[in-house]
Amino acid sequence: MILKLAIVLLAVGYASSQGLDLKPYNVTAAALFYVSDANKDGILTLSEVDSNFRSYDRDDDGRISRYEYTSHVDANSPQLHAFSHGLYDIYDVDSDDFLDAHDYESFFKLMDSDENDVVTQHEYVRYWIVLLETLEHLHGGGRKRANL
Ligand SMILES: *[C@@H]1O[C@H](CO)[C@@H](O)[C@H](O)[C@H]1NC(C)=O
């Protein structure tokens, strides 16, 4: 998902080779929701989250290793290197160093705060604002353009 975010940010001028400007986080989160919501119906389902993750599974073995994830991000957005590791740690909900269906489901549940099996844009944005704040030391936030 974060790779798609980087592409969106590059497209709208948020990111540069020097760093990322992810603030305001609500706007970044809304942009990320938009690219993740594949069928553009305004809600995210587990199957949409699942297929977003699967695009990183290059050897198609049903799970994503840390190397698969971070090297994919590095190849396209080297300024996201530290952030990609921080995100991997969050996505790897069971901390077994692989992302698989179990993790996608757990991550989905973290975002689905009212537990009705769909993630609305409101739920998604609320979750991602906290996530972007938590990982601010890894992506440099807005003002301070860190060399990631
Ligand atoms: C983001 O938050 C600001 C400040 O609360 C608000 O004015 C703006 O409309 C929000 N933007 C989006 C896309 O939600």
Side-chain angles (χ1 to χ4, degrees):
M1 281 199 264
I2 194 62
L3 183 56
K4 288 189 182 160
L5 170 63
I7 291 163
V8 169
L9 294 173
L10 285 165
V12 298
Y14 275 92
S16 71
S17 54
Q18 280 77 49
L20 277 179
D21 194 351
L22 297 179
K23 285 181 179 166
Y25 293 148
N26 64 337
V27 175
T28 298
L32 187 51
F33 180 85
Y34 183 76
V35 291
S36 303
D37 179 18
N39 66 359
K40 307 295 178 232
D41 66 352
I43 51 169
L44 266 193
T45 58
L46 178 57
S47 111
E48 281 168 324
V49 170
D50 211 87
S51 51
N52 274 317
F53 276 114
R54 277 178 208 281
S55 61
Y56 293 89
D57 182 15
R58 273 192 285 180
D59 65 6
D60 209 24
D61 68 348
R63 57 187 199 169
I64 304 165
S65 67
R66 181 179 294 271
Y67 180 77
E68 258 175 331
Y69 182 79
T70 58
S71 65
H72 195 35
V73 175
D74 275 346
N76 295 276
S77 317
Q79 73 272 38
L80 290 172
H81 179 82
F83 189 34
S84 73
H85 279 274
L87 276 177
Y88 191 91
D89 291 335
I90 287 173
Y91 293 153
D92 185 15
V93 180
D94 64 8
S95 299
D96 68 349
D97 266 316
F98 285 102
L99 305 184
D100 54 29
H102 174 70
D103 295 301
Y104 313 150
E105 198 180 335
S106 304
F107 184 64
F108 186 83
K109 284 185 172 155
L110 291 174
M111 296 189 288
D112 181 18
S113 49
D114 70 359
E115 298 177 15
N116 69 343
D117 294 330
V118 293
V119 173
T120 62
Q121 177 162 344
H122 181 73
E123 286 172 324
Y124 186 94
V125 167
R126 195 168 47 186
Y127 181 84
W128 273 84
I129 287 173
V130 174
L131 190 156
L132 289 165
E133 283 169 355
T134 306
L135 296 183
E136 188 166 287
H137 60 293
L138 298 179
H139 60 70
R143 299 215 190 114
K144 191 175 130 271
R145 293 200 154 226
N147 278 323
L148 296 178

